[in-house]
C-alpha cells in the first residue's frame, strides 16, 4: 500500500501543478480553432426540383455515367463531378448527391445573360446554379418530391 502511494501522490501533484500553470483551464493548441471558433460549412439557399428519364436517354447523365435515384443531381455544367450536400430548412442532411447531369430549368430572363444550353434563350435557373434537379426513377416520385426550398453545400470531390 505504501508503495502505491509513493507513485500516486507525486502523479497527482504533477497534474495539479500543470493545471495551475494553465490558469485552471484547458486551452486549445495554438493555431487550432476552439469549439467556438470552428466554422460551419457555407450553406447556400437553393430550390430543388425533380426529374426522371422521360425522354428515355437510357438513364445516362451528361458526364456519361448512369443516373441513379438517391445519388444523382443535375446542376450547372461547371459543377459536373462535384458533390452536393442537401439540407432541409431545419439544417437536417437530406443526402449527398453527385452532379452527373446538367439542366436548364426555368428562364431567368435576359438580365442574367444568354443560355449556353438553349441557343437564343436567356439562361435557365438550373444552368445558373439557382435551382438543382434531383433524379428520380419515376414520374410519381418526382411529383412526390415537388419543388422544395433547401440549403446546399458544394463539395469538390472525387469518387
Amino acid at each position: 500500500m505504501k508503495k502505491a502511494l509513493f507513485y500516486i501522490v507525486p502523479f497527482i501533484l504533477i497534474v495539479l501543478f500543470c493545471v495551475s500553470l494553465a490558469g485552471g483551464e484547458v486551452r486549445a493548441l495554438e493555431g487550432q480553432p476552439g469549439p467556438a471558433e470552428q466554422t460551419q460549412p457555407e450553406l447556400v439557399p437553393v430550390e430543388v426540383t425533380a426529374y426522371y428519364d422521360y425522354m428515355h436517354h437510357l438513364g445516362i447523365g451528361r458526364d456519361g455515367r448512369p443516373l441513379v435515384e438517391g445519388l444523382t443531381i443535375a446542376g450547372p455544367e461547371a459543377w459536373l463531378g462535384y458533390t452536393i450536400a442537401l439540407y432541409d430548412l431545419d439544417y437536417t442532411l437530406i443526402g449527398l448527391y453527385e452532379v452527373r447531369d446538367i439542366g436548364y430549368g426555368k428562364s431567368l430572363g435576359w438580365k442574367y445573360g444568354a443560355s449556353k444550353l438553349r441557343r437564343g434563350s436567356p439562361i435557365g435557373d438550373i444552368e445558373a446554379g439557382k435551382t438543382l434537379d434531383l433524379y428520380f426513377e419515376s414520374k410519381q416520385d418526382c411529383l412526390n418530391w415537388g419543388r422544395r426550398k433547401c440549403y446546399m453545400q458544394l463539395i469538390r470531390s472525387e469518387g
Side-chain angles (χ1 to χ4, degrees), residues 134-147:
L134 196 54
Y135 177 77
F136 288 94
E137 292 181 354
S138 72
K139 181 178 181 180
Q140 188 58 51
D141 289 340
C142 291
L143 293 172
N144 291 342
W145 174 268
R147 185 178 188 101

Side-chain angles (χ1 to χ4, degrees), residues 19-40:
V19 170
S20 69
L21 283 178
E25 64 185 65
V26 178
R27 296 184 183 147
L29 295 174
E30 247 181 83
Q32 299 293 323
E37 300 167 352
Q38 292 175 350
T39 58
Q40 294 294 324

Side-chain angles (χ1 to χ4, degrees), residues 3-22:
K3 195 173 187 179
L5 286 175
F6 180 75
Y7 292 106
I8 294 173
V9 171
F11 176 75
I12 291 173
L13 290 174
I14 291 171
V15 169
L16 289 173
F17 179 73
C18 290
V19 170
S20 69
L21 283 178

